[in-house]
Amino acid sequence: MLATPPSPAPTQHPGIVMAAAYSGGRRVSDVDIGEAGEWSRRPGHLVWIGLYEPSEELLAQVQAQFSLHPLAIEDAKAAHQRPKLERYGDCTFVVTRTAQLVQGRIALGETHLFVGRGFVVTVRHGASVSYRPAREKAEACPKLLAHGEDYILYAVLDFIVDNYAPVMETVLAEVEAIEDRILRRELRQDEVERLYLLRRDLLRLRTAVVPLVEVCRKLEHGDLVAIDDEMQPLFRDVSDHLLRVQDEIDAVREVLAFAFEASLMLGQAQQTVITRRLAAWAAILAVPTAIAGIYGMNFENMPELKWRYGYYVVLGGIVAACGVLYWRFRKSGWL
């Protein structure tokens, strides 16, 4: 069957990133949302639509074109969903979480995927890079893209998981730098706060990654969705990548915990050294204080009170006693 010749690009609408029709793994036309349903019902054709923070009106148009379930649309509107996979009739609804570094913090976004016969719709919210590289990669392999919805679902999931890697690499580099500083000096207040923020961000990232592992396993084994046998190993590969990311998150969080504890122990050790020095000097100063206190008492009959060399002997005794104490404390490492 001859492919339909490409038509002019549809009018740009806020929230629409791309909307295209494919046949035999090749892009044949850009499409308008109002015609997307018709294109998806053509034999051998597939519609791929990408949306970014769409309005309710735009989601309603997409819902009408592909008869999407109201509950899934409601989730796509609200966002802030936990990664999951649900089946609504002939449509599969997948929720994933994306990650991106924004001003040194791990920002989480959200992507919803509607996958049905002849169509795939992605809805992005929040922090997320463009899926254009994933689309271009898929379009560069018509043989794989010919597998249809299954391959597009894999391509998007794989792209999301791959983008966890640069986030983890940046965080790991910063953690290693903090570790090096811990060995040289006590951390400042802002550095300790940074340790806490990184650990909290990694916990949030972990809550986004772990449920996605279960989603990929369901796709791999076809528990809820009938996946092409040739595509199942690809979803297994995504699961392996996710498990690797999960292990990296756990390892970095453990390193951060050790770094935090090391910082506290170094601080306590520094306080102990200061306390020892203060105690040693207090002991040294106690000698002249005690002697001066004794000879400062208002008694008429005191030994050596009228002795000609008493003043010099007392001063010499004070200096000698303080010198012995200083030597002992210095030898024991208190000074």
Side-chain angles (χ1 to χ4, degrees), residues 171-185 187 190-192 194-195 198 256 259-260 263:
V171 171
L172 181 59
E174 183 176 357
V175 170
E176 290 176 348
I178 293 176
E179 274 191 303
D180 293 338
R181 290 198 293 272
I182 289 177
L183 299 177
R184 295 194 300 268
R185 59 171 174 80
L187 293 182
D190 61 320
E191 292 174 326
V192 175
R194 181 61 178 166
L195 282 176
L198 285 174
L256 284 171
F260 191 77
S263 175

XYZ file of all heavy atoms in Angstrom, residues 171-185 187 190-192 194-195 198 256 259-260 263:
213
model
N 25.722 14.133 41.111
C 25.590 14.024 42.568
C 26.777 13.267 43.148
O 27.345 13.666 44.185
C 24.268 13.331 42.941
C 24.220 13.021 44.437
C 23.083 14.193 42.550
N 27.185 12.177 42.486
C 28.306 11.379 42.983
C 29.594 12.196 42.996
O 30.380 12.114 43.955
C 28.486 10.134 42.118
C 29.612 9.175 42.522
C 29.396 8.683 43.953
C 29.687 8.001 41.559
N 29.826 12.998 41.955
C 31.024 13.837 41.912
C 31.036 14.839 43.067
O 32.078 15.075 43.698
C 31.103 14.568 40.574
N 29.873 15.418 43.371
C 29.795 16.370 44.474
C 30.011 15.685 45.813
O 30.693 16.225 46.694
C 28.439 17.077 44.463
C 28.304 18.145 45.532
C 26.993 18.912 45.450
O 26.204 18.630 44.510
O 26.758 19.779 46.311
N 29.458 14.470 45.964
C 29.625 13.738 47.213
C 31.094 13.386 47.433
O 31.616 13.494 48.558
C 28.757 12.467 47.201
C 29.099 11.575 48.391
C 27.284 12.828 47.251
N 31.782 12.970 46.375
C 33.207 12.638 46.501
C 34.019 13.870 46.892
O 34.960 13.772 47.692
C 33.722 12.046 45.187
C 33.175 10.656 44.896
C 33.618 10.127 43.547
O 34.161 10.933 42.747
O 33.452 8.919 43.293
N 33.673 15.027 46.338
C 34.370 16.264 46.705
C 34.143 16.601 48.177
O 35.074 17.033 48.881
C 33.896 17.406 45.811
N 32.923 16.388 48.665
C 32.628 16.651 50.078
C 33.408 15.687 50.969
O 33.937 16.077 52.017
C 31.115 16.538 50.332
C 30.359 17.667 49.624
C 30.811 16.577 51.829
C 28.857 17.578 49.737
N 33.494 14.426 50.532
C 34.263 13.438 51.299
C 35.714 13.865 51.441
O 36.320 13.730 52.513
C 34.195 12.073 50.609
C 32.992 11.248 50.973
C 33.128 9.829 50.475
O 33.313 9.634 49.255
O 33.050 8.912 51.305
N 36.311 14.361 50.348
C 37.709 14.810 50.404
C 37.875 15.968 51.384
O 38.877 16.052 52.099
C 38.178 15.230 49.009
C 38.259 14.048 48.041
O 38.359 12.910 48.535
O 38.219 14.267 46.820
N 36.903 16.872 51.428
C 36.990 18.002 52.346
C 36.854 17.553 53.800
O 37.452 18.152 54.696
C 35.911 19.041 52.016
C 36.174 19.779 50.713
C 35.369 21.066 50.643
N 33.940 20.821 50.553
C 33.281 20.641 49.418
N 33.927 20.663 48.261
N 31.969 20.446 49.416
N 36.072 16.506 54.021
C 35.897 16.003 55.387
C 37.227 15.538 55.963
O 37.527 15.733 57.145
C 34.862 14.855 55.418
C 33.460 15.400 55.180
C 34.897 14.125 56.759
C 32.401 14.335 55.114
N 38.058 14.916 55.116
C 39.335 14.390 55.587
C 40.329 15.498 55.895
O 41.288 15.279 56.639
C 39.924 13.447 54.522
C 39.073 12.215 54.190
C 39.723 11.411 53.085
C 38.877 11.351 55.423
N 40.124 16.684 55.312
C 41.066 17.781 55.519
C 40.642 18.733 56.640
O 41.481 19.295 57.325
C 41.244 18.576 54.224
C 41.883 17.785 53.090
C 42.334 18.716 51.993
N 41.236 19.479 51.426
C 40.521 19.104 50.363
N 40.786 17.963 49.766
N 39.536 19.865 49.902
N 39.347 18.921 56.801
C 38.876 19.890 57.784
C 37.443 19.577 58.162
O 36.770 18.771 57.518
C 38.954 21.312 57.216
C 38.127 21.506 55.946
C 38.058 22.960 55.540
N 37.397 23.143 54.257
C 36.079 23.139 54.072
N 35.265 22.949 55.110
N 35.554 23.324 52.868
N 33.554 20.235 58.316
C 32.640 20.846 57.359
C 31.982 22.088 57.951
O 31.684 22.148 59.141
C 31.563 19.845 56.949
C 32.014 18.626 56.141
C 30.809 17.774 55.773
C 32.759 19.036 54.879
N 26.988 25.274 56.008
C 26.319 25.152 54.716
C 26.636 23.840 54.032
O 25.804 23.281 53.303
C 26.704 26.335 53.811
C 28.199 26.374 53.533
O 28.987 26.109 54.474
O 28.600 26.653 52.390
N 27.835 23.294 54.272
C 28.193 22.005 53.682
C 27.433 20.861 54.351
O 27.022 19.909 53.675
C 29.700 21.788 53.798
C 30.508 22.739 52.932
C 31.992 22.620 53.172
O 32.391 22.352 54.333
O 32.772 22.807 52.224
N 27.232 20.954 55.637
C 26.429 19.938 56.339
C 24.984 19.992 55.848
O 24.345 18.950 55.634
C 26.500 20.158 57.859
C 25.569 19.185 58.585
C 27.924 19.982 58.351
N 24.054 20.921 52.936
C 24.065 20.354 51.578
C 24.021 18.824 51.626
O 23.335 18.201 50.807
C 25.317 20.834 50.840
C 25.429 20.341 49.401
C 24.272 20.815 48.566
N 24.401 20.378 47.175
C 23.427 20.409 46.284
N 22.227 20.873 46.631
N 23.618 20.001 45.049
N 24.734 18.237 52.563
C 24.679 16.781 52.729
C 23.250 16.322 52.989
O 22.775 15.332 52.406
C 25.580 16.348 53.886
C 27.088 16.282 53.647
C 27.804 15.932 54.942
C 27.425 15.255 52.574
N 21.048 16.711 49.783
C 21.345 15.678 48.788
C 20.736 14.340 49.199
O 20.166 13.629 48.359
C 22.858 15.527 48.619
C 23.571 16.625 47.825
C 25.082 16.419 47.868
C 23.092 16.642 46.376
N 26.633 9.307 51.867
C 26.223 10.573 52.480
C 25.982 10.404 53.975
O 26.327 11.290 54.769
C 24.957 11.095 51.799
C 25.141 11.724 50.416
C 23.783 11.988 49.775
C 25.932 13.013 50.517
N 29.320 10.214 55.539
C 29.947 11.539 55.530
C 29.349 12.419 56.625
O 30.071 13.152 57.318
C 29.775 12.195 54.160
N 28.028 12.329 56.776
C 27.362 13.120 57.813
C 27.835 12.686 59.200
O 28.134 13.522 60.069
C 25.848 12.957 57.683
C 25.053 13.915 58.512
C 24.888 15.233 58.118
C 24.476 13.505 59.704
C 24.154 16.123 58.890
C 23.747 14.383 60.480
C 23.586 15.703 60.064
N 31.378 13.815 59.764
C 31.423 15.236 60.086
C 31.066 15.474 61.554
O 31.720 16.265 62.247
C 30.457 16.009 59.185
O 30.385 17.362 59.537
